[in-house]
Amino acid sequence: MTDFAVLRAPSQVLFGAGMAAAAGPLAAGYGRRAMVITDPRIAETEGFATVRTALGAAGLDVVVFTGAAVDVPVDAVDAAVALGGEREPDVIVAVGGGSVIDLAKVTALLLTHPGPLSAYYPVQSVPGPVLPLIALPTTAGTGSEATPVSVITDGATGMKVGVASPHLIPRHAVCDPLLTVGAPPTVTAHSGIDALSHAIEAYMAARETPSPELVLGRPQVGKNLLSDALALTATRAIAANLVRAVEDGGDIEARSGMLYGSLLAGIAFGNSGVSAAHALQFAVGAATHTSHGLGTGLLLPYVMEYNRPARPAELEALAEILGGDPVAAVHELGLRIGLPASLAEIGVEREDVRGLAEASVGIRRLIDNNPRPLDADALESILDAAWRGEPARLSSALA
Ligand SMILES: [Fe+2]
Protein backbone atom coordinates (compact mmCIF):
# COMPACT_ATOMS: atom_id res chain seq x y z
CA MET A 1 0.00 0.00 0.00
CA THR A 2 1.16 3.53 -0.78
CA ASP A 3 1.38 5.74 2.29
CA PHE A 4 -1.28 8.42 2.14
CA ALA A 5 -2.82 10.66 4.79
CA VAL A 6 -5.16 13.63 4.95
CA LEU A 7 -6.23 15.53 8.04
CA ARG A 8 -8.74 18.35 7.83
CA ALA A 9 -10.15 19.12 11.24
CA PRO A 10 -11.20 21.99 13.53
CA SER A 11 -8.32 24.39 14.13
CA GLN A 12 -8.88 23.85 17.84
CA VAL A 13 -10.29 20.84 19.69
CA LEU A 14 -10.88 21.34 23.40
CA PHE A 15 -11.97 18.19 25.22
CA GLY A 16 -12.76 17.64 28.87
CA ALA A 17 -15.30 18.02 31.67
CA GLY A 18 -16.02 21.68 32.33
CA MET A 19 -14.64 22.81 28.96
CA ALA A 20 -17.96 24.37 27.88
CA ALA A 21 -17.07 27.56 29.76
CA ALA A 22 -14.24 28.14 27.26
CA ALA A 23 -16.88 29.03 24.64
CA GLY A 24 -17.12 32.60 26.00
CA PRO A 25 -13.49 33.69 25.60
CA LEU A 26 -13.21 31.75 22.31
CA ALA A 27 -16.24 33.55 20.85
CA ALA A 28 -15.05 36.93 22.10
CA GLY A 29 -11.94 36.40 19.99
CA TYR A 30 -14.07 36.97 16.87
CA GLY A 31 -15.93 40.16 17.85
CA ARG A 32 -18.77 41.47 19.99
CA ARG A 33 -21.84 39.74 18.58
CA ALA A 34 -22.57 36.04 18.95
CA MET A 35 -25.49 34.01 17.63
CA VAL A 36 -26.23 30.83 19.57
CA ILE A 37 -28.07 28.02 17.78
CA THR A 38 -29.81 25.27 19.76
CA ASP A 39 -33.14 23.43 20.05
CA PRO A 40 -35.99 23.95 22.53
CA ARG A 41 -35.01 20.97 24.72
CA ILE A 42 -31.32 21.79 24.99
CA ALA A 43 -32.13 25.46 25.67
CA GLU A 44 -33.61 24.39 29.03
CA THR A 45 -30.59 22.40 30.20
CA GLU A 46 -27.93 23.28 32.74
CA GLY A 47 -25.22 22.71 30.15
CA PHE A 48 -26.76 25.30 27.88
CA ALA A 49 -26.93 27.77 30.78
CA THR A 50 -23.21 27.26 31.34
CA VAL A 51 -22.45 28.24 27.76
CA ARG A 52 -24.88 31.17 27.81
CA THR A 53 -23.35 32.48 31.06
CA ALA A 54 -19.82 32.14 29.69
CA LEU A 55 -20.75 34.16 26.61
CA GLY A 56 -22.30 36.90 28.77
CA ALA A 57 -19.29 36.97 31.08
CA ALA A 58 -17.00 37.44 28.07
CA GLY A 59 -18.93 40.62 27.24
CA LEU A 60 -20.69 39.34 24.12
CA ASP A 61 -23.97 40.64 22.80
CA VAL A 62 -25.85 37.34 22.37
CA VAL A 63 -28.91 36.35 20.36
CA VAL A 64 -30.25 32.83 20.89
CA PHE A 65 -32.02 30.87 18.16
CA THR A 66 -33.89 27.86 19.62
CA GLY A 67 -35.64 26.71 16.44
CA ALA A 68 -33.34 23.85 15.41
CA ALA A 69 -35.21 20.60 14.65
CA VAL A 70 -34.40 17.04 13.70
CA ASP A 71 -33.22 16.53 10.08
CA VAL A 72 -32.74 20.31 9.61
CA PRO A 73 -36.00 21.27 7.85
CA VAL A 74 -35.91 24.17 5.41
CA ASP A 75 -38.01 26.46 7.62
CA ALA A 76 -35.45 26.14 10.43
CA VAL A 77 -32.70 27.15 7.99
CA ASP A 78 -34.75 30.11 6.72
CA ALA A 79 -35.57 31.30 10.26
CA ALA A 80 -31.98 31.01 11.48
CA VAL A 81 -30.61 32.82 8.44
CA ALA A 82 -33.26 35.57 8.80
CA LEU A 83 -32.35 36.13 12.46
CA GLY A 84 -28.65 36.08 11.64
CA GLY A 85 -29.22 38.54 8.81
CA GLU A 86 -30.82 40.98 11.27
CA ARG A 87 -28.20 40.65 14.00
CA GLU A 88 -25.05 40.25 11.87
CA PRO A 89 -23.13 38.01 14.30
CA ASP A 90 -19.32 37.82 14.28
CA VAL A 91 -19.42 34.19 15.40
CA ILE A 92 -21.91 31.33 15.68
CA VAL A 93 -22.03 29.02 18.69
CA ALA A 94 -23.89 25.71 18.26
CA VAL A 95 -25.00 23.80 21.36
CA GLY A 96 -26.73 20.52 20.53
CA GLY A 97 -26.73 17.25 18.65
CA GLY A 98 -26.06 16.67 14.97
CA SER A 99 -29.13 18.50 13.68
CA VAL A 100 -28.24 21.63 15.67
CA ILE A 101 -24.63 21.67 14.52
CA ASP A 102 -25.63 20.91 10.92
CA LEU A 103 -28.09 23.82 11.01
CA ALA A 104 -25.36 26.07 12.38
CA LYS A 105 -23.03 25.04 9.52
CA VAL A 106 -25.47 26.02 6.78
CA THR A 107 -26.45 29.18 8.65
CA ALA A 108 -22.77 30.19 8.81
CA LEU A 109 -22.57 29.41 5.09
CA LEU A 110 -25.64 31.41 4.05
CA LEU A 111 -24.72 34.41 6.23
CA THR A 112 -21.46 34.62 4.27
CA HIS A 113 -22.32 33.49 0.72
CA PRO A 114 -25.55 34.06 -1.22
CA GLY A 115 -28.27 31.37 -1.36
CA PRO A 116 -30.11 29.32 -2.31
CA LEU A 117 -28.65 26.49 -0.25
CA SER A 118 -29.13 24.12 -3.21
CA ALA A 119 -26.36 26.04 -5.01
CA TYR A 120 -23.95 24.30 -2.62
CA TYR A 121 -25.15 20.69 -3.07
CA PRO A 122 -22.42 19.90 -5.63
CA VAL A 123 -19.15 18.77 -4.07
CA GLN A 124 -16.59 21.54 -3.39
CA SER A 125 -18.98 24.33 -4.39
CA VAL A 126 -18.66 26.42 -1.20
CA PRO A 127 -16.49 29.27 -2.53
CA GLY A 128 -14.58 30.22 0.62
CA PRO A 129 -14.52 30.52 4.41
CA VAL A 130 -17.81 30.94 6.28
CA LEU A 131 -18.62 32.64 9.61
CA PRO A 132 -16.53 31.09 12.38
CA LEU A 133 -18.41 28.33 14.19
CA ILE A 134 -17.84 27.02 17.71
CA ALA A 135 -19.53 23.62 18.08
CA LEU A 136 -20.43 22.12 21.45
CA PRO A 137 -21.93 18.63 20.99
CA THR A 138 -24.57 17.40 23.47
CA THR A 139 -24.66 13.87 22.06
CA ALA A 140 -21.94 11.36 21.23
CA GLY A 141 -22.70 11.27 18.36
CA THR A 142 -22.67 12.45 14.92
CA GLY A 143 -19.17 13.86 15.15
CA SER A 144 -20.55 16.89 13.33
CA GLU A 145 -18.38 19.10 15.56
CA ALA A 146 -15.42 17.89 13.51
CA THR A 147 -16.74 17.10 10.01
CA PRO A 148 -17.10 19.03 6.74
CA VAL A 149 -20.65 17.68 6.21
CA SER A 150 -24.07 19.13 7.00
CA VAL A 151 -27.07 16.87 6.32
CA ILE A 152 -30.20 18.91 5.72
CA THR A 153 -33.68 18.32 4.29
CA ASP A 154 -34.09 19.73 0.80
CA GLY A 155 -37.06 22.08 0.63
CA ALA A 156 -38.15 21.01 -2.85
CA THR A 157 -37.92 17.20 -2.59
CA GLY A 158 -38.19 16.58 1.15
CA MET A 159 -35.14 14.31 0.82
CA LYS A 160 -32.05 14.54 2.99
CA VAL A 161 -29.04 16.01 1.23
CA GLY A 162 -25.44 16.43 2.33
CA VAL A 163 -23.65 19.73 1.86
CA ALA A 164 -19.92 19.08 2.17
CA SER A 165 -16.91 21.37 2.13
CA PRO A 166 -13.78 21.76 4.25
CA HIS A 167 -15.03 25.34 4.82
CA LEU A 168 -17.91 23.91 6.88
CA ILE A 169 -15.64 22.29 9.47
CA PRO A 170 -16.30 24.13 12.74
CA ARG A 171 -13.41 26.41 13.72
CA HIS A 172 -13.56 25.08 17.29
CA ALA A 173 -14.89 21.78 18.64
CA VAL A 174 -15.52 22.19 22.36
CA CYS A 175 -16.32 18.73 23.71
CA ASP A 176 -17.52 18.73 27.31
CA PRO A 177 -18.84 15.34 28.49
CA LEU A 178 -20.97 17.14 31.11
CA LEU A 179 -23.11 18.47 28.24
CA THR A 180 -24.00 14.89 27.25
CA VAL A 181 -25.20 13.52 30.63
CA GLY A 182 -28.82 14.53 30.00
CA ALA A 183 -29.19 12.58 26.76
CA PRO A 184 -31.92 9.91 27.26
CA PRO A 185 -30.98 6.20 26.90
CA THR A 186 -32.48 5.82 23.40
CA VAL A 187 -30.66 8.91 22.11
CA THR A 188 -27.45 7.67 23.76
CA ALA A 189 -27.86 4.24 22.15
CA HIS A 190 -28.71 5.45 18.65
CA SER A 191 -26.15 8.25 18.49
CA GLY A 192 -23.51 6.00 20.07
CA ILE A 193 -23.93 3.16 17.57
CA ASP A 194 -23.92 5.78 14.78
CA ALA A 195 -20.50 6.90 16.04
CA LEU A 196 -19.37 3.25 15.85
CA SER A 197 -20.71 3.12 12.29
CA HIS A 198 -18.60 6.19 11.46
CA ALA A 199 -15.47 4.61 12.92
CA ILE A 200 -15.93 1.23 11.24
CA GLU A 201 -17.14 2.58 7.88
CA ALA A 202 -14.17 4.99 7.88
CA TYR A 203 -11.77 2.16 8.65
CA MET A 204 -13.24 -0.13 5.99
CA ALA A 205 -13.77 2.59 3.34
CA ALA A 206 -12.45 2.54 -0.22
CA ARG A 207 -8.76 3.25 -0.74
CA GLU A 208 -7.99 5.79 -3.46
CA THR A 209 -4.77 6.52 -5.32
CA PRO A 210 -3.30 9.64 -3.72
CA SER A 211 -3.05 12.73 -5.92
CA PRO A 212 -3.46 16.50 -5.56
CA GLU A 213 -6.61 16.25 -7.72
CA LEU A 214 -8.13 13.73 -5.32
CA VAL A 215 -7.42 15.65 -2.13
CA LEU A 216 -8.39 19.04 -3.53
CA GLY A 217 -11.39 17.78 -5.47
CA ARG A 218 -13.19 16.02 -2.64
CA PRO A 219 -13.74 16.83 1.03
CA GLN A 220 -13.65 13.11 1.87
CA VAL A 221 -10.96 11.04 0.19
CA GLY A 222 -11.24 7.42 1.33
CA LYS A 223 -9.37 5.56 4.02
CA ASN A 224 -5.84 6.73 4.81
CA LEU A 225 -3.24 6.43 7.55
CA LEU A 226 -4.63 9.17 9.79
CA SER A 227 -8.29 8.23 9.39
CA ASP A 228 -7.32 4.61 10.16
CA ALA A 229 -5.47 5.58 13.34
CA LEU A 230 -8.35 7.71 14.56
CA ALA A 231 -11.00 5.16 13.58
CA LEU A 232 -9.33 2.34 15.50
CA THR A 233 -8.95 4.43 18.66
CA ALA A 234 -12.55 5.56 18.27
CA THR A 235 -13.76 1.95 17.93
CA ARG A 236 -11.89 1.01 21.10
CA ALA A 237 -13.39 3.91 23.09
CA ILE A 238 -16.94 3.30 21.86
CA ALA A 239 -16.83 -0.48 22.35
CA ALA A 240 -15.63 0.02 25.93
CA ASN A 241 -18.21 2.62 26.91
CA LEU A 242 -21.43 2.39 24.89
CA VAL A 243 -23.31 -0.16 27.02
CA ARG A 244 -22.27 1.65 30.21
CA ALA A 245 -23.41 5.03 28.91
CA VAL A 246 -26.80 3.62 27.85
CA GLU A 247 -27.36 1.80 31.15
CA ASP A 248 -26.25 4.67 33.39
CA GLY A 249 -26.47 8.11 31.81
CA GLY A 250 -24.80 9.62 34.88
CA ASP A 251 -21.62 7.59 34.40
CA ILE A 252 -19.29 10.48 33.54
CA GLU A 253 -16.39 8.21 32.67
CA ALA A 254 -18.52 6.34 30.11
CA ARG A 255 -19.95 9.61 28.77
CA SER A 256 -16.43 10.97 28.38
CA GLY A 257 -15.26 7.82 26.60
CA MET A 258 -18.22 7.99 24.22
CA LEU A 259 -17.69 11.67 23.43
CA TYR A 260 -14.01 11.03 22.80
CA GLY A 261 -14.86 8.09 20.54
CA SER A 262 -17.46 10.01 18.57
CA LEU A 263 -15.10 12.99 18.15
CA LEU A 264 -12.32 10.78 16.79
CA ALA A 265 -14.79 8.87 14.60
CA GLY A 266 -16.02 12.24 13.30
CA ILE A 267 -12.52 13.37 12.38
CA ALA A 268 -11.86 9.96 10.80
CA PHE A 269 -14.93 9.86 8.56
CA GLY A 270 -14.77 13.61 7.99
CA ASN A 271 -11.62 12.80 6.02
CA SER A 272 -12.31 9.28 4.72
CA GLY A 273 -16.09 9.34 4.23
CA VAL A 274 -18.56 6.59 5.13
CA SER A 275 -20.26 4.14 2.80
CA ALA A 276 -23.06 1.59 2.37
CA ALA A 277 -24.60 1.59 5.86
CA HIS A 278 -25.12 5.33 5.55
CA ALA A 279 -26.36 5.12 1.96
CA LEU A 280 -28.92 2.47 2.89
CA GLN A 281 -29.99 4.40 5.97
CA PHE A 282 -31.07 7.37 3.84
CA ALA A 283 -33.69 5.12 2.20
CA VAL A 284 -34.58 3.06 5.28
CA GLY A 285 -34.90 6.16 7.48
CA ALA A 286 -37.13 7.92 4.96
CA ALA A 287 -39.38 4.85 4.62
CA THR A 288 -39.69 3.95 8.30
CA HIS A 289 -39.25 7.33 10.05
CA THR A 290 -36.66 5.82 12.34
CA SER A 291 -33.60 7.67 13.62
CA HIS A 292 -30.36 7.95 11.67
CA GLY A 293 -28.36 6.03 14.28
CA LEU A 294 -30.92 3.24 14.55
CA GLY A 295 -30.62 2.70 10.81
CA THR A 296 -26.84 2.91 10.46
CA GLY A 297 -26.34 0.79 13.59
CA LEU A 298 -28.80 -1.88 12.49
CA LEU A 299 -27.32 -2.06 8.97
CA LEU A 300 -23.64 -1.89 9.93
CA PRO A 301 -22.99 -5.61 10.62
CA TYR A 302 -24.58 -6.60 7.29
CA VAL A 303 -22.46 -4.11 5.39
CA MET A 304 -19.36 -5.39 7.23
CA GLU A 305 -20.28 -8.95 6.24
CA TYR A 306 -20.69 -7.95 2.60
CA ASN A 307 -17.33 -6.18 2.69
CA ARG A 308 -15.54 -9.05 4.46
CA PRO A 309 -13.72 -10.32 1.31
CA ALA A 310 -12.40 -6.82 0.54
CA ARG A 311 -11.11 -5.94 4.01
CA PRO A 312 -9.63 -9.05 5.71
CA ALA A 313 -6.78 -7.21 7.46
CA GLU A 314 -9.12 -4.53 8.79
CA LEU A 315 -11.54 -7.13 10.14
CA GLU A 316 -8.66 -8.86 11.87
CA ALA A 317 -7.67 -5.60 13.59
CA LEU A 318 -11.28 -4.99 14.58
CA ALA A 319 -11.56 -8.53 15.95
CA GLU A 320 -8.72 -7.78 18.33
CA ILE A 321 -10.49 -4.68 19.65
CA LEU A 322 -13.98 -6.18 19.78
CA GLY A 323 -12.89 -9.53 21.21
CA GLY A 324 -14.21 -11.89 18.56
CA ASP A 325 -15.63 -11.90 15.07
CA PRO A 326 -16.35 -8.21 14.46
CA VAL A 327 -19.58 -8.76 12.52
CA ALA A 328 -21.09 -10.85 15.30
CA ALA A 329 -19.71 -8.49 17.96
CA VAL A 330 -21.26 -5.40 16.36
CA HIS A 331 -24.58 -7.21 15.82
CA GLU A 332 -24.66 -8.31 19.47
CA LEU A 333 -23.67 -4.85 20.71
CA GLY A 334 -26.64 -3.40 18.82
CA LEU A 335 -29.01 -5.90 20.41
CA ARG A 336 -27.57 -5.21 23.87
CA ILE A 337 -28.31 -1.51 23.61
CA GLY A 338 -31.84 -2.13 22.39
CA LEU A 339 -31.62 -1.82 18.61
CA PRO A 340 -34.36 -3.71 16.78
CA ALA A 341 -33.21 -7.12 15.58
CA SER A 342 -34.24 -6.70 11.95
CA LEU A 343 -35.70 -4.38 9.32
CA ALA A 344 -38.94 -6.42 9.55
CA GLU A 345 -39.21 -5.31 13.16
CA ILE A 346 -39.29 -1.63 12.16
CA GLY A 347 -42.07 -2.15 9.66
CA VAL A 348 -40.21 -2.83 6.40
CA GLU A 349 -42.12 -5.32 4.23
CA ARG A 350 -40.08 -7.87 2.28
CA GLU A 351 -41.48 -6.52 -1.00
CA ASP A 352 -40.16 -3.02 -0.11
CA VAL A 353 -36.56 -4.23 -0.04
CA ARG A 354 -35.87 -3.94 -3.77
CA GLY A 355 -37.14 -0.35 -3.85
CA LEU A 356 -34.95 0.59 -0.89
CA ALA A 357 -31.92 -0.90 -2.66
CA GLU A 358 -32.71 1.04 -5.82
CA ALA A 359 -33.21 4.27 -3.87
CA SER A 360 -29.76 3.89 -2.27
CA VAL A 361 -27.68 2.87 -5.27
CA GLY A 362 -27.70 6.41 -6.68
CA ILE A 363 -26.05 8.01 -3.64
CA ARG A 364 -22.69 7.91 -5.38
CA ARG A 365 -20.70 9.84 -2.73
CA LEU A 366 -21.36 6.96 -0.30
CA ILE A 367 -21.76 4.01 -2.67
CA ASP A 368 -18.47 4.74 -4.47
CA ASN A 369 -16.68 4.91 -1.11
CA ASN A 370 -17.56 1.29 -0.33
CA PRO A 371 -14.54 -1.06 -0.49
CA ARG A 372 -16.45 -3.65 -2.55
CA PRO A 373 -18.46 -2.68 -5.63
CA LEU A 374 -22.18 -2.32 -5.05
CA ASP A 375 -25.12 -2.55 -7.40
CA ALA A 376 -28.83 -2.80 -6.65
CA ASP A 377 -28.62 -6.62 -6.40
CA ALA A 378 -25.81 -6.44 -3.83
CA LEU A 379 -27.67 -3.80 -1.83
CA GLU A 380 -30.78 -5.98 -1.96
CA SER A 381 -28.84 -8.96 -0.57
CA ILE A 382 -27.56 -6.79 2.31
CA LEU A 383 -31.06 -5.52 3.02
CA ASP A 384 -32.53 -9.02 2.76
CA ALA A 385 -30.18 -10.32 5.46
CA ALA A 386 -30.97 -7.25 7.58
CA TRP A 387 -34.69 -7.79 7.03
CA ARG A 388 -34.31 -11.28 8.46
CA GLY A 389 -31.95 -10.16 11.20
CA GLU A 390 -29.29 -12.72 10.29
CA PRO A 391 -25.86 -11.36 9.31
CA ALA A 392 -24.50 -14.89 8.77
CA ARG A 393 -27.16 -15.48 6.12
CA LEU A 394 -25.40 -12.96 3.90
CA SER A 395 -22.13 -14.84 3.83
CA SER A 396 -23.85 -18.05 2.77
CA ALA A 397 -25.91 -16.16 0.17
CA LEU A 398 -22.74 -14.67 -1.28
CA ALA A 399 -20.59 -17.81 -1.10
FE1 LIG B 1 -23.97 8.71 10.81
Side-chain angles (χ1 to χ4, degrees):
M1 163 193 161
T2 312
D3 284 348
F4 168 47
V6 172
L7 183 65
R8 291 184 279 234
S11 63
Q12 219 180 114
V13 172
L14 303 177
F15 185 98
M19 208 58 83
L26 283 181
Y30 293 102
R32 286 209 50 249
R33 291 186 302 274
M35 177 175 175
V36 179
I37 294 183
T38 191
D39 68 30
R41 193 187 71 79
I42 298 291
E44 300 301 319
T45 61
E46 212 176 296
F48 181 82
T50 306
V51 178
R52 179 68 190 79
T53 303
L55 294 168
L60 286 146
D61 174 6
V62 178
V63 60
V64 180
F65 178 82
T66 60
V70 74
D71 295 339
V72 196
V74 68
D75 53 338
V77 178
D78 290 346
V81 172
L83 182 63
E86 266 166 45
R87 302 295 285 255
E88 300 188 334
D90 301 302
V91 57
I92 295 183
V93 180
V95 186
S99 294
V100 168
I101 298 173
D102 284 2
L103 171 63
K105 286 174 173 174
V106 293
T107 303
L109 166 62
L110 292 175
L111 289 176
T112 313
H113 304 288
L117 187 52
S118 55
Y120 305 108
Y121 293 171
V123 159
Q124 298 297 67
S125 56
V126 175
V130 304
L131 266 188
L133 172 60
I134 301 171
L136 295 101
T138 59
T139 58
T142 62
S144 187
E145 69 276 12
T147 75
V149 184
S150 170
V151 178
I152 53 108
T153 302
D154 177 57
T157 63
M159 295 293 289
K160 283 168 124 191
V161 189
V163 180
S165 162
H167 296 301
L168 297 187
I169 299 172
R171 203 71 65 87
H172 306 268
V174 179
C175 303
D176 184 340
L178 299 180
L179 295 186
T180 69
V181 292
T186 307
V187 172
T188 304
H190 293 182
S191 53
I193 200 88
D194 185 39
L196 185 69
S197 311
H198 298 157
I200 291 180
E201 287 218 287
Y203 189 54
M204 295 182 71
R207 182 180 279 126
E208 304 292 346
T209 306
S211 74
E213 292 73 29
L214 170 71
V215 298
L216 299 175
R218 280 169 38 179
Q220 294 164 304
V221 297
K223 88 191 242 94
N224 61 81
L225 292 172
L226 282 162
S227 66
D228 281 359
L230 293 163
L232 282 179
T233 307
T235 303
R236 195 170 284 118
I238 295 163
N241 290 291
L242 179 52
V243 172
R244 276 174 64 185
V246 171
E247 286 178 352
D248 177 8
D251 182 337
I252 301 291
E253 206 180 274
R255 290 292 196 183
S256 187
M258 282 306 299
L259 191 61
Y260 184 61
S262 69
L263 167 71
L264 296 196
I267 303 173
F269 95 87
N271 287 279
S272 68
V274 283
S275 62
H278 276 75
L280 290 167
Q281 191 283 326
F282 271 85
V284 169
T288 60
H289 305 287
T290 48
S291 80
H292 173 82
L294 181 152
T296 58
L298 196 161
L299 292 161
L300 179 63
Y302 304 93
V303 169
M304 292 168 73
E305 185 61 49
Y306 175 78
N307 288 331
R308 192 188 285 273
R311 288 288 175 265
E314 282 76 6
L315 285 166
E316 214 170 285
L318 289 171
E320 223 166 274
I321 292 173
L322 298 170
D325 178 70
V327 174
V330 168
H331 187 233
E332 276 155 31
L333 178 60
L335 298 178
R336 263 188 89 184
I337 61 163
L339 284 190
S342 68
L343 290 179
E345 209 173 282
I346 57 170
V348 175
E349 302 289 341
R350 180 60 189 85
E351 57 265 33
D352 299 338
V353 162
R354 182 72 195 181
L356 295 173
E358 281 169 359
S360 308
V361 78
I363 311 175
R364 301 315 314 182
R365 179 173 66 92
L366 301 172
I367 294 296
D368 292 345
N369 203 35
N370 200 67
R372 199 178 158 196
L374 284 166
D375 55 17
D377 289 347
L379 290 167
E380 185 179 359
S381 69
I382 293 170
L383 287 171
D384 178 63
W387 186 77
R388 296 167 197 277
E390 298 166 13
R393 191 179 180 91
L394 187 59
S395 51
S396 48
L398 294 168

